[in-house]
Amino acid sequence: MIARAARHPLVWLYAWFLVIPFVMTAVKSTVSLGTEIVVFTLLAIAYNLLMGYTGLVSFGHSAFFGLGGYAAGLVQIHLVKGMVVPLLAGVAVATLAGAVIGFLLMRKRGVYFSLLTLAFTQMFFYVVYGATGVTGGENGLGGIERFPLGAGALRVDLGDKRVYYYATAVVAAAAIWVLWRVVHSPFGRVLQGIRENEQRASFVGYDVRRYKLAVFVVSCAFAGLAGALYTFLLNFAYPESLHVTMAGEIAAMTLVGGMRSFVGPAVGAAVFVFMRDTLSSWTENWLVYFGVIFIAFVMFSPNGIVGVVQRLRGLRRGAAAPAPAEARAATPAPAAPAPVTRDDGRPLLEVDGVTKYFGGLAAVDGASFGVKRGELRSVIGPNGAGKTTLFNVVTGLLAPDGGEARFEGAVITGLPPHRVVARGVSRSFQIISVFQSLSVFENVRLAVQAKHPRRFAMLTDSTRLTDAAAEAARLLQAVGLAEHAGTLAANLSHGDQRLLEIAIALATRPKLLLLDEPLAGLSAPDRVRVAALIRALHGSVTIVLIDHDIDQVLALSDRITVLHQGRVIAEGAPAEIQKNAEVQTAYLGHLKVAAGADAGLARAEGAPLLGVVSVDAFYGKSHVLHDVSLDVFPGEVVALLGRNGAGKTTTLAAITGVVPPRRGRITYRGRDITGGAPEAIARQGVGLVPQGRRIFPNLSVLENLTIARRGRGGWTLERVFETFPRLHQLRHASGGTLSGGELQLLAIARALMGNVELLLLDEPFEGLAPTIVETVWNVLHALKGETTLLLVEQNADLALALAGRAYVINNGSIVWSGDATTLRAQDDLRRRLLGV
């Protein structure tokens, strides 16, 4: 017990406070400099509550430091002689200012929050600087004294510098103890979750804005306390204490010391004060040298001096982190019983005419369906059908433009995410969303805590919530991650991260669980593990599932709802959906435009123009492409087909260098371009028409085309306008004003202006009206033989009518290749490979 207490960071910090006066004497400095170190230690730790623990970067904390100092001085001069009341007044004024300013700023995020804190600081500085009659203006506020405390034998003479040092150290030590308790309380754990993933924190049930406002006020209060102590140290308040330069110094000492460590700012404060005192005696430009040190830490050790020490200790130990103590001590709670199904005749979830527009595009267009209690419902549809957008509307991430969703009869659309979670709706995300720098156990415990009555407690040790720890341990056991409890979430495999995200969603005790592509990017064994977990959950919680693994969807689902272009086109049991002609058309396309198309050109002899050999590609830890190989020969049209999420776009991204392959080889004209820079690959004659068009919205059509012009080939502005008459009419219109079809025409024309030899097209027919589809198809048909095309397209019939050869990719692997006419002619084969 004693040995463990001796290792406590606060013990080391308090020991440092005790020896500072002796260190100052040893280096022939002053006790006042030691007092300054203690004050700035308190200030930096209070500031780090924002920057290091919550991820809020304030460029204006000097304002609250200065306000606390001025308030303490003015109260002593004009109202109450003494020390205690003025000190409390400084804290009160800084707290009030923090509450008012924080309330105004918490609606802003990121750089806007930081810049607004800077603006308020400048405003306060000029107010203090200009109010000469009250604050002394540029001359500062004098006449402040350190009055004795107590009387008689208990009299403490704070006028003595050494006595004031120890008094300041005692006050600072008490304040730092309170801050330590805040950091390690349930409230503090939530702050770390907000820092790591604000959206995820909101979607496990925390009112993020409330937590950020509370921590901002707490941080400002202790900054005001530091400011008041500093004013009494100097017996003077000066306007530079509010200046933005001081704000920068506070941030710098915090970062140099280490913002991911509680005591890191204390190290930074000591280094800063020592350097300022030493270097300023040599040169007035001492900040230049400190700036070099600051830049070095930003570039090479973002976790500061403490981070360097921790890395050295980690290298010396060479062992993985053990499970958290509370995880080892927790006895997993017994499995929660499945909720009793009470079918009152009303759906648990009712989606009624939900509509969501992005610009002029209806991503969800009047979608309506109901989900019964205890059901496993899947929502499927081709790319751009509106599935994830629908989830985002239902769970409060997006506000609907029409319609509503009701859960247990109550409207939930328009509610913030934390209130939707409180009603009993939880979700996972298409792109894995966990708290990356927290342990696996802490990820789940943080989510469990969101339902705990003491989740906002600021001074309670979070390890005392043993019921939350036990529930977290049970969930980790249930999803098979108990042995990884002490592992950082960022270090888990992709499959384990999926399981962790489901555990986080389950930790909120949902009645309805929304899973957005939980099988995406998983290896075959991991897909089996996650699918088995979903199957095991069925019956204990109502599930709505989005996924592109059609085989698993058919095996898991009670009923399936099919979306296409934002509308519900079919609903029924899996067997009914498989037989639905409209569903098959949505997935496979149609032959109206291409019915009379001629066969594609025969494959050329000789070496391929493009060669993809055994390529593996990843998004982070998500293994998307597995041993993909394909060839494209000069002059031919090749179609790359597959269901949603199969890896088609990732293949194009690997070819163009956007996603460098982890393994394998890509050649173009016989030259290895594997992992090359996208701009270098483009200059070699590879053009891309990306999914989503991605034109320059603030440039005109003419400027979009001109900026892409490269080479002296046959594609000139004149030819483009002849091929695309509509673009000629719109040549002076800005890209941001075009319709979806016009944008697609511009995207193709822009790629052709590069006079490319190989043109890659990603979903060129997606979301287009039939007349525009016909226009685009005819343009591509006219390019056959002139430009080599690799075509990725959801509408298989249109693609196969253009192509001479085709590849089919499924779950990141090529599962079929051959003549396009063969695949086009065999309906059963096409449905098996590409349909539902």
Short mmCIF file of all heavy atoms in Angstrom, two decimals, residues 154-211:
data_model
loop_
_atom_site.label_atom_id
_atom_site.label_comp_id
_atom_site.label_asym_id
_atom_site.label_seq_id
_atom_site.Cartn_x
_atom_site.Cartn_y
_atom_site.Cartn_z
N LEU A 154 -1.25 32.44 16.03
CA LEU A 154 -1.64 31.83 14.76
C LEU A 154 -1.48 32.78 13.59
O LEU A 154 -1.89 32.47 12.48
CB LEU A 154 -3.11 31.37 14.84
CG LEU A 154 -3.42 30.32 15.91
CD1 LEU A 154 -4.91 30.01 15.92
CD2 LEU A 154 -2.61 29.05 15.68
N ARG A 155 -0.87 33.92 13.88
CA ARG A 155 -0.71 34.91 12.81
C ARG A 155 0.32 34.42 11.78
O ARG A 155 1.41 33.97 12.13
CB ARG A 155 -0.25 36.24 13.40
CG ARG A 155 -0.19 37.41 12.42
CD ARG A 155 0.16 38.68 13.18
NE ARG A 155 0.13 39.84 12.33
CZ ARG A 155 1.16 40.29 11.60
NH1 ARG A 155 2.33 39.60 11.65
NH2 ARG A 155 1.05 41.36 10.86
N VAL A 156 -0.07 34.49 10.50
CA VAL A 156 0.80 34.07 9.40
C VAL A 156 1.11 35.30 8.57
O VAL A 156 0.21 35.92 8.00
CB VAL A 156 0.13 32.99 8.52
CG1 VAL A 156 1.04 32.60 7.36
CG2 VAL A 156 -0.23 31.77 9.36
N ASP A 157 2.37 35.64 8.49
CA ASP A 157 2.79 36.84 7.77
C ASP A 157 3.00 36.51 6.30
O ASP A 157 4.07 36.04 5.89
CB ASP A 157 4.08 37.39 8.38
CG ASP A 157 4.52 38.70 7.69
OD1 ASP A 157 3.70 39.26 6.92
OD2 ASP A 157 5.66 39.12 7.91
N LEU A 158 2.00 36.75 5.49
CA LEU A 158 2.10 36.46 4.07
C LEU A 158 2.98 37.45 3.32
O LEU A 158 3.29 37.26 2.15
CB LEU A 158 0.70 36.43 3.43
CG LEU A 158 -0.22 35.31 3.94
CD1 LEU A 158 -1.57 35.39 3.24
CD2 LEU A 158 0.40 33.95 3.73
N GLY A 159 3.38 38.52 4.00
CA GLY A 159 4.30 39.45 3.38
C GLY A 159 5.68 38.85 3.19
O GLY A 159 6.45 39.29 2.32
N ASP A 160 6.01 37.84 4.01
CA ASP A 160 7.27 37.13 3.85
C ASP A 160 7.18 36.24 2.60
O ASP A 160 6.25 35.44 2.46
CB ASP A 160 7.54 36.28 5.10
CG ASP A 160 8.88 35.57 5.02
OD1 ASP A 160 8.95 34.54 4.32
OD2 ASP A 160 9.84 36.05 5.63
N LYS A 161 8.15 36.35 1.71
CA LYS A 161 8.10 35.64 0.43
C LYS A 161 8.08 34.13 0.60
O LYS A 161 7.37 33.41 -0.12
CB LYS A 161 9.27 36.06 -0.45
CG LYS A 161 9.20 37.52 -0.90
CD LYS A 161 10.38 37.89 -1.78
CE LYS A 161 10.28 39.35 -2.21
NZ LYS A 161 11.42 39.76 -3.07
N ARG A 162 8.87 33.62 1.56
CA ARG A 162 8.89 32.18 1.77
C ARG A 162 7.56 31.69 2.36
O ARG A 162 7.05 30.63 1.97
CB ARG A 162 10.06 31.80 2.68
CG ARG A 162 10.29 30.29 2.81
CD ARG A 162 11.58 30.00 3.56
NE ARG A 162 12.74 30.38 2.77
CZ ARG A 162 13.39 29.55 1.95
NH1 ARG A 162 12.99 28.29 1.83
NH2 ARG A 162 14.44 29.96 1.28
N VAL A 163 7.02 32.46 3.29
CA VAL A 163 5.72 32.10 3.85
C VAL A 163 4.65 32.11 2.77
O VAL A 163 3.80 31.21 2.70
CB VAL A 163 5.35 33.05 5.01
CG1 VAL A 163 3.92 32.78 5.49
CG2 VAL A 163 6.33 32.90 6.16
N TYR A 164 4.68 33.15 1.93
CA TYR A 164 3.67 33.21 0.86
C TYR A 164 3.85 32.05 -0.11
O TYR A 164 2.88 31.51 -0.64
CB TYR A 164 3.75 34.54 0.11
CG TYR A 164 2.64 34.68 -0.92
CD1 TYR A 164 1.32 34.82 -0.52
CD2 TYR A 164 2.92 34.62 -2.29
CE1 TYR A 164 0.30 34.91 -1.44
CE2 TYR A 164 1.90 34.71 -3.23
CZ TYR A 164 0.59 34.85 -2.80
OH TYR A 164 -0.42 34.93 -3.72
N TYR A 165 5.11 31.64 -0.33
CA TYR A 165 5.33 30.49 -1.20
C TYR A 165 4.59 29.28 -0.66
O TYR A 165 3.84 28.61 -1.40
CB TYR A 165 6.82 30.15 -1.34
CG TYR A 165 6.99 28.79 -1.99
CD1 TYR A 165 6.91 28.64 -3.37
CD2 TYR A 165 7.15 27.64 -1.20
CE1 TYR A 165 6.99 27.39 -3.95
CE2 TYR A 165 7.23 26.39 -1.78
CZ TYR A 165 7.14 26.26 -3.17
OH TYR A 165 7.20 25.02 -3.75
N TYR A 166 4.79 28.97 0.62
CA TYR A 166 4.17 27.76 1.17
C TYR A 166 2.64 27.89 1.24
O TYR A 166 1.92 26.91 1.05
CB TYR A 166 4.76 27.44 2.54
CG TYR A 166 6.13 26.79 2.43
CD1 TYR A 166 7.28 27.48 2.85
CD2 TYR A 166 6.28 25.52 1.88
CE1 TYR A 166 8.54 26.89 2.73
CE2 TYR A 166 7.54 24.94 1.76
CZ TYR A 166 8.66 25.62 2.17
OH TYR A 166 9.90 25.05 2.05
N ALA A 167 2.16 29.11 1.50
CA ALA A 167 0.71 29.31 1.48
C ALA A 167 0.14 29.06 0.09
O ALA A 167 -0.89 28.40 -0.08
CB ALA A 167 0.37 30.73 1.95
N THR A 168 0.85 29.58 -0.92
CA THR A 168 0.43 29.36 -2.31
C THR A 168 0.50 27.87 -2.65
O THR A 168 -0.39 27.33 -3.33
CB THR A 168 1.33 30.16 -3.27
OG1 THR A 168 1.22 31.55 -2.96
CG2 THR A 168 0.93 29.93 -4.71
N ALA A 169 1.56 27.20 -2.20
CA ALA A 169 1.72 25.78 -2.49
C ALA A 169 0.59 24.97 -1.88
O ALA A 169 0.08 24.02 -2.49
CB ALA A 169 3.07 25.28 -1.98
N VAL A 170 0.17 25.34 -0.64
CA VAL A 170 -0.93 24.62 0.01
C VAL A 170 -2.23 24.81 -0.77
O VAL A 170 -2.98 23.86 -1.03
CB VAL A 170 -1.09 25.09 1.47
CG1 VAL A 170 -2.39 24.56 2.07
CG2 VAL A 170 0.11 24.62 2.30
N VAL A 171 -2.52 26.07 -1.14
CA VAL A 171 -3.75 26.34 -1.91
C VAL A 171 -3.71 25.62 -3.26
O VAL A 171 -4.69 24.99 -3.69
CB VAL A 171 -3.92 27.87 -2.11
CG1 VAL A 171 -5.09 28.15 -3.06
CG2 VAL A 171 -4.15 28.56 -0.78
N ALA A 172 -2.56 25.71 -3.94
CA ALA A 172 -2.43 25.06 -5.25
C ALA A 172 -2.54 23.55 -5.11
O ALA A 172 -3.17 22.89 -5.95
CB ALA A 172 -1.11 25.45 -5.90
N ALA A 173 -1.93 22.99 -4.07
CA ALA A 173 -2.00 21.55 -3.87
C ALA A 173 -3.44 21.09 -3.66
O ALA A 173 -3.87 20.07 -4.21
CB ALA A 173 -1.14 21.14 -2.67
N ALA A 174 -4.20 21.85 -2.87
CA ALA A 174 -5.61 21.51 -2.66
C ALA A 174 -6.40 21.60 -3.96
O ALA A 174 -7.23 20.74 -4.27
CB ALA A 174 -6.20 22.43 -1.59
N ALA A 175 -6.15 22.67 -4.72
CA ALA A 175 -6.85 22.85 -6.00
C ALA A 175 -6.49 21.74 -6.97
O ALA A 175 -7.37 21.21 -7.68
CB ALA A 175 -6.51 24.22 -6.58
N ILE A 176 -5.21 21.36 -7.02
CA ILE A 176 -4.78 20.30 -7.93
C ILE A 176 -5.38 18.96 -7.52
O ILE A 176 -5.74 18.13 -8.37
CB ILE A 176 -3.23 20.24 -7.98
CG1 ILE A 176 -2.71 21.49 -8.70
CG2 ILE A 176 -2.74 18.98 -8.67
CD1 ILE A 176 -1.20 21.67 -8.59
N TRP A 177 -5.53 18.74 -6.20
CA TRP A 177 -6.20 17.51 -5.74
C TRP A 177 -7.64 17.46 -6.24
O TRP A 177 -8.11 16.41 -6.69
CB TRP A 177 -6.16 17.45 -4.21
CG TRP A 177 -6.87 16.24 -3.66
CD1 TRP A 177 -6.37 14.98 -3.52
CD2 TRP A 177 -8.23 16.20 -3.19
NE1 TRP A 177 -7.33 14.14 -2.99
CE2 TRP A 177 -8.48 14.86 -2.78
CE3 TRP A 177 -9.24 17.14 -3.07
CZ2 TRP A 177 -9.71 14.47 -2.26
CZ3 TRP A 177 -10.47 16.75 -2.56
CH2 TRP A 177 -10.69 15.43 -2.16
N VAL A 178 -8.32 18.61 -6.18
CA VAL A 178 -9.70 18.66 -6.70
C VAL A 178 -9.71 18.35 -8.19
O VAL A 178 -10.54 17.58 -8.69
CB VAL A 178 -10.33 20.04 -6.42
CG1 VAL A 178 -11.69 20.15 -7.11
CG2 VAL A 178 -10.49 20.26 -4.92
N LEU A 179 -8.77 18.93 -8.94
CA LEU A 179 -8.69 18.68 -10.38
C LEU A 179 -8.38 17.21 -10.67
O LEU A 179 -8.90 16.63 -11.64
CB LEU A 179 -7.64 19.58 -11.02
CG LEU A 179 -8.00 21.07 -11.08
CD1 LEU A 179 -6.79 21.89 -11.52
CD2 LEU A 179 -9.17 21.31 -12.04
N TRP A 180 -7.55 16.59 -9.84
CA TRP A 180 -7.26 15.16 -9.99
C TRP A 180 -8.54 14.35 -9.82
O TRP A 180 -8.81 13.42 -10.58
CB TRP A 180 -6.21 14.74 -8.97
CG TRP A 180 -5.98 13.25 -8.90
CD1 TRP A 180 -6.64 12.33 -8.14
CD2 TRP A 180 -5.03 12.50 -9.67
NE1 TRP A 180 -6.17 11.08 -8.36
CE2 TRP A 180 -5.17 11.14 -9.31
CE3 TRP A 180 -4.08 12.85 -10.62
CZ2 TRP A 180 -4.40 10.14 -9.86
CZ3 TRP A 180 -3.30 11.84 -11.17
CH2 TRP A 180 -3.45 10.51 -10.80
N ARG A 181 -9.33 14.72 -8.80
CA ARG A 181 -10.60 14.00 -8.58
C ARG A 181 -11.55 14.20 -9.75
O ARG A 181 -12.26 13.26 -10.15
CB ARG A 181 -11.25 14.49 -7.27
CG ARG A 181 -10.48 14.14 -6.00
CD ARG A 181 -10.39 12.64 -5.79
NE ARG A 181 -11.70 12.02 -5.64
CZ ARG A 181 -12.30 11.84 -4.47
NH1 ARG A 181 -11.70 12.21 -3.34
NH2 ARG A 181 -13.48 11.25 -4.41
N VAL A 182 -11.57 15.40 -10.30
CA VAL A 182 -12.44 15.66 -11.46
C VAL A 182 -12.02 14.78 -12.64
O VAL A 182 -12.86 14.15 -13.30
CB VAL A 182 -12.39 17.15 -11.85
CG1 VAL A 182 -13.09 17.37 -13.20
CG2 VAL A 182 -13.06 18.00 -10.79
N VAL A 183 -10.73 14.72 -12.90
CA VAL A 183 -10.22 13.95 -14.04
C VAL A 183 -10.57 12.47 -13.90
O VAL A 183 -10.89 11.81 -14.89
CB VAL A 183 -8.70 14.15 -14.18
CG1 VAL A 183 -8.08 13.09 -15.07
CG2 VAL A 183 -8.40 15.54 -14.72
N HIS A 184 -10.52 11.93 -12.68
CA HIS A 184 -10.72 10.51 -12.47
C HIS A 184 -12.13 10.17 -12.00
O HIS A 184 -12.39 9.05 -11.55
CB HIS A 184 -9.68 9.98 -11.48
CG HIS A 184 -8.29 10.03 -12.01
ND1 HIS A 184 -7.49 11.15 -11.90
CD2 HIS A 184 -7.56 9.12 -12.71
CE1 HIS A 184 -6.32 10.92 -12.49
NE2 HIS A 184 -6.34 9.71 -12.99
N SER A 185 -13.02 11.12 -12.12
CA SER A 185 -14.43 10.89 -11.78
C SER A 185 -15.19 10.38 -13.00
O SER A 185 -14.67 10.38 -14.12
CB SER A 185 -15.05 12.21 -11.31
OG SER A 185 -15.14 13.12 -12.41
N PRO A 186 -16.43 9.94 -12.81
CA PRO A 186 -17.25 9.60 -13.98
C PRO A 186 -17.34 10.75 -14.97
O PRO A 186 -17.29 10.54 -16.18
CB PRO A 186 -18.61 9.28 -13.36
CG PRO A 186 -18.28 8.79 -11.98
CD PRO A 186 -17.10 9.61 -11.54
N PHE A 187 -17.46 11.97 -14.46
CA PHE A 187 -17.48 13.16 -15.32
C PHE A 187 -16.20 13.24 -16.13
O PHE A 187 -16.22 13.49 -17.35
CB PHE A 187 -17.64 14.39 -14.43
CG PHE A 187 -17.53 15.71 -15.16
CD1 PHE A 187 -18.63 16.26 -15.80
CD2 PHE A 187 -16.33 16.40 -15.19
CE1 PHE A 187 -18.54 17.48 -16.46
CE2 PHE A 187 -16.23 17.62 -15.84
CZ PHE A 187 -17.33 18.16 -16.49
N GLY A 188 -15.04 13.04 -15.48
CA GLY A 188 -13.76 13.13 -16.19
C GLY A 188 -13.60 12.06 -17.24
O GLY A 188 -12.98 12.30 -18.29
N ARG A 189 -14.11 10.87 -16.99
CA ARG A 189 -14.03 9.80 -18.00
C ARG A 189 -14.80 10.20 -19.25
O ARG A 189 -14.37 9.90 -20.37
CB ARG A 189 -14.60 8.50 -17.43
CG ARG A 189 -13.88 7.96 -16.22
CD ARG A 189 -12.45 7.57 -16.51
NE ARG A 189 -11.82 6.92 -15.36
CZ ARG A 189 -10.55 6.59 -15.28
NH1 ARG A 189 -9.75 6.85 -16.30
NH2 ARG A 189 -10.06 6.01 -14.20
N VAL A 190 -15.91 10.87 -19.06
CA VAL A 190 -16.69 11.32 -20.22
C VAL A 190 -15.90 12.36 -21.01
O VAL A 190 -15.94 12.37 -22.25
CB VAL A 190 -18.05 11.89 -19.78
CG1 VAL A 190 -18.84 12.40 -20.99
CG2 VAL A 190 -18.86 10.82 -19.06
N LEU A 191 -15.17 13.23 -20.31
CA LEU A 191 -14.36 14.23 -21.02
C LEU A 191 -13.37 13.55 -21.96
O LEU A 191 -13.17 14.00 -23.09
CB LEU A 191 -13.61 15.11 -20.01
CG LEU A 191 -14.45 15.90 -19.00
CD1 LEU A 191 -13.54 16.76 -18.14
CD2 LEU A 191 -15.50 16.74 -19.70
N GLN A 192 -12.75 12.47 -21.50
CA GLN A 192 -11.80 11.76 -22.34
C GLN A 192 -12.50 11.12 -23.53
O GLN A 192 -11.96 11.07 -24.63
CB GLN A 192 -11.07 10.71 -21.51
CG GLN A 192 -10.20 11.31 -20.41
CD GLN A 192 -9.61 10.26 -19.50
OE1 GLN A 192 -8.96 9.33 -19.96
NE2 GLN A 192 -9.84 10.39 -18.20
N GLY A 193 -13.72 10.64 -23.31
CA GLY A 193 -14.49 10.11 -24.43
C GLY A 193 -14.82 11.18 -25.45
O GLY A 193 -14.74 10.95 -26.66
N ILE A 194 -15.16 12.39 -24.98
CA ILE A 194 -15.43 13.50 -25.89
C ILE A 194 -14.19 13.86 -26.69
O ILE A 194 -14.25 14.13 -27.89
CB ILE A 194 -15.96 14.72 -25.10
CG1 ILE A 194 -17.33 14.41 -24.51
CG2 ILE A 194 -16.02 15.96 -25.98
CD1 ILE A 194 -17.82 15.46 -23.53
N ARG A 195 -13.04 13.86 -26.01
CA ARG A 195 -11.78 14.15 -26.70
C ARG A 195 -11.53 13.14 -27.81
O ARG A 195 -11.13 13.50 -28.92
CB ARG A 195 -10.63 14.10 -25.70
CG ARG A 195 -9.24 14.28 -26.29
CD ARG A 195 -8.17 13.84 -25.31
NE ARG A 195 -8.19 12.41 -25.10
CZ ARG A 195 -7.66 11.81 -24.03
NH1 ARG A 195 -7.11 12.52 -23.08
NH2 ARG A 195 -7.70 10.48 -23.93
N GLU A 196 -11.77 11.88 -27.54
CA GLU A 196 -11.46 10.83 -28.50
C GLU A 196 -12.46 10.78 -29.64
O GLU A 196 -12.09 10.56 -30.80
CB GLU A 196 -11.41 9.46 -27.80
CG GLU A 196 -10.27 9.31 -26.82
CD GLU A 196 -8.93 9.50 -27.48
OE1 GLU A 196 -8.71 8.95 -28.57
OE2 GLU A 196 -8.10 10.25 -26.91
N ASN A 197 -13.74 10.95 -29.33
CA ASN A 197 -14.76 10.76 -30.36
C ASN A 197 -16.05 11.41 -29.87
O ASN A 197 -16.88 10.77 -29.23
CB ASN A 197 -14.96 9.27 -30.63
CG ASN A 197 -15.82 8.99 -31.85
OD1 ASN A 197 -16.64 9.81 -32.24
ND2 ASN A 197 -15.65 7.83 -32.44
N GLU A 198 -16.19 12.68 -30.19
CA GLU A 198 -17.34 13.44 -29.68
C GLU A 198 -18.66 12.86 -30.17
O GLU A 198 -19.63 12.78 -29.42
CB GLU A 198 -17.21 14.91 -30.09
CG GLU A 198 -18.29 15.80 -29.55
CD GLU A 198 -18.07 17.27 -29.86
OE1 GLU A 198 -16.89 17.68 -29.90
OE2 GLU A 198 -19.06 17.99 -30.06
N GLN A 199 -18.69 12.46 -31.44
CA GLN A 199 -19.94 11.91 -31.98
C GLN A 199 -20.32 10.62 -31.28
O GLN A 199 -21.47 10.41 -30.92
CB GLN A 199 -19.79 11.67 -33.48
CG GLN A 199 -21.06 11.19 -34.15
CD GLN A 199 -20.85 10.87 -35.62
OE1 GLN A 199 -20.42 9.80 -35.99
NE2 GLN A 199 -21.15 11.84 -36.46
N ARG A 200 -19.34 9.74 -31.06
CA ARG A 200 -19.63 8.48 -30.38
C ARG A 200 -20.11 8.73 -28.95
O ARG A 200 -21.01 8.04 -28.46
CB ARG A 200 -18.38 7.61 -30.38
CG ARG A 200 -18.53 6.24 -29.72
CD ARG A 200 -19.25 5.28 -30.65
NE ARG A 200 -20.64 5.12 -30.34
CZ ARG A 200 -21.44 4.25 -30.93
NH1 ARG A 200 -20.99 3.48 -31.89
NH2 ARG A 200 -22.69 4.15 -30.59
N ALA A 201 -19.50 9.71 -28.26
CA ALA A 201 -19.93 10.05 -26.90
C ALA A 201 -21.39 10.47 -26.89
O ALA A 201 -22.16 10.10 -26.00
CB ALA A 201 -19.05 11.16 -26.33
N SER A 202 -21.78 11.23 -27.89
CA SER A 202 -23.18 11.65 -27.99
C SER A 202 -24.09 10.46 -28.25
O SER A 202 -25.18 10.37 -27.70
CB SER A 202 -23.32 12.69 -29.11
OG SER A 202 -24.65 13.11 -29.24
N PHE A 203 -23.60 9.50 -29.07
CA PHE A 203 -24.43 8.36 -29.44
C PHE A 203 -24.39 7.21 -28.45
O PHE A 203 -24.94 6.15 -28.73
CB PHE A 203 -24.05 7.88 -30.84
CG PHE A 203 -24.75 8.65 -31.93
CD1 PHE A 203 -24.15 9.75 -32.51
CD2 PHE A 203 -26.01 8.29 -32.36
CE1 PHE A 203 -24.80 10.48 -33.49
CE2 PHE A 203 -26.66 9.00 -33.35
CZ PHE A 203 -26.06 10.10 -33.92
N VAL A 204 -23.72 7.40 -27.30
CA VAL A 204 -23.93 6.46 -26.21
C VAL A 204 -24.78 7.10 -25.11
O VAL A 204 -25.06 6.46 -24.09
CB VAL A 204 -22.61 5.93 -25.62
CG1 VAL A 204 -21.85 5.15 -26.65
CG2 VAL A 204 -21.76 7.04 -25.02
N GLY A 205 -25.17 8.36 -25.31
CA GLY A 205 -26.15 8.95 -24.42
C GLY A 205 -25.71 10.15 -23.60
O GLY A 205 -26.42 10.55 -22.68
N TYR A 206 -24.57 10.75 -23.94
CA TYR A 206 -24.10 11.91 -23.17
C TYR A 206 -24.48 13.21 -23.87
O TYR A 206 -24.34 13.33 -25.10
CB TYR A 206 -22.58 11.86 -22.99
CG TYR A 206 -22.12 10.73 -22.10
CD1 TYR A 206 -21.43 9.64 -22.62
CD2 TYR A 206 -22.37 10.76 -20.74
CE1 TYR A 206 -21.00 8.60 -21.80
CE2 TYR A 206 -21.95 9.72 -19.91
CZ TYR A 206 -21.28 8.64 -20.45
OH TYR A 206 -20.87 7.62 -19.64
N ASP A 207 -24.94 14.16 -23.08
CA ASP A 207 -25.21 15.51 -23.57
C ASP A 207 -23.86 16.23 -23.65
O ASP A 207 -23.40 16.85 -22.69
CB ASP A 207 -26.16 16.24 -22.63
CG ASP A 207 -26.57 17.61 -23.15
OD1 ASP A 207 -25.96 18.09 -24.13
OD2 ASP A 207 -27.50 18.20 -22.58
N VAL A 208 -23.22 16.13 -24.78
CA VAL A 208 -21.84 16.58 -24.94
C VAL A 208 -21.70 18.07 -24.65
O VAL A 208 -20.74 18.50 -24.01
CB VAL A 208 -21.33 16.23 -26.36
CG1 VAL A 208 -20.01 16.93 -26.65
CG2 VAL A 208 -21.18 14.73 -26.50
N ARG A 209 -22.64 18.85 -25.09
CA ARG A 209 -22.55 20.30 -24.88
C ARG A 209 -22.58 20.65 -23.39
O ARG A 209 -21.86 21.53 -22.93
CB ARG A 209 -23.69 21.01 -25.61
CG ARG A 209 -23.56 22.52 -25.62
CD ARG A 209 -24.69 23.17 -26.37
NE ARG A 209 -24.70 22.78 -27.78
CZ ARG A 209 -25.63 23.12 -28.64
NH1 ARG A 209 -26.66 23.85 -28.25
NH2 ARG A 209 -25.57 22.74 -29.89
N ARG A 210 -23.39 19.94 -22.63
CA ARG A 210 -23.45 20.18 -21.19
C ARG A 210 -22.11 19.86 -20.53
O ARG A 210 -21.63 20.62 -19.68
CB ARG A 210 -24.56 19.32 -20.59
CG ARG A 210 -24.72 19.47 -19.09
CD ARG A 210 -25.70 18.45 -18.56
NE ARG A 210 -25.84 18.53 -17.10
CZ ARG A 210 -26.31 17.54 -16.35
NH1 ARG A 210 -26.68 16.41 -16.91
NH2 ARG A 210 -26.41 17.68 -15.05
N TYR A 211 -21.50 18.75 -20.92
CA TYR A 211 -20.21 18.38 -20.32
C TYR A 211 -19.13 19.39 -20.70
O TYR A 211 -18.30 19.76 -19.87
CB TYR A 211 -19.81 16.98 -20.79
CG TYR A 211 -20.48 15.87 -20.01
CD1 TYR A 211 -21.74 15.40 -20.37
CD2 TYR A 211 -19.85 15.30 -18.91
CE1 TYR A 211 -22.36 14.39 -19.65
CE2 TYR A 211 -20.46 14.29 -18.18
CZ TYR A 211 -21.72 13.84 -18.55
OH TYR A 211 -22.33 12.85 -17.83
#
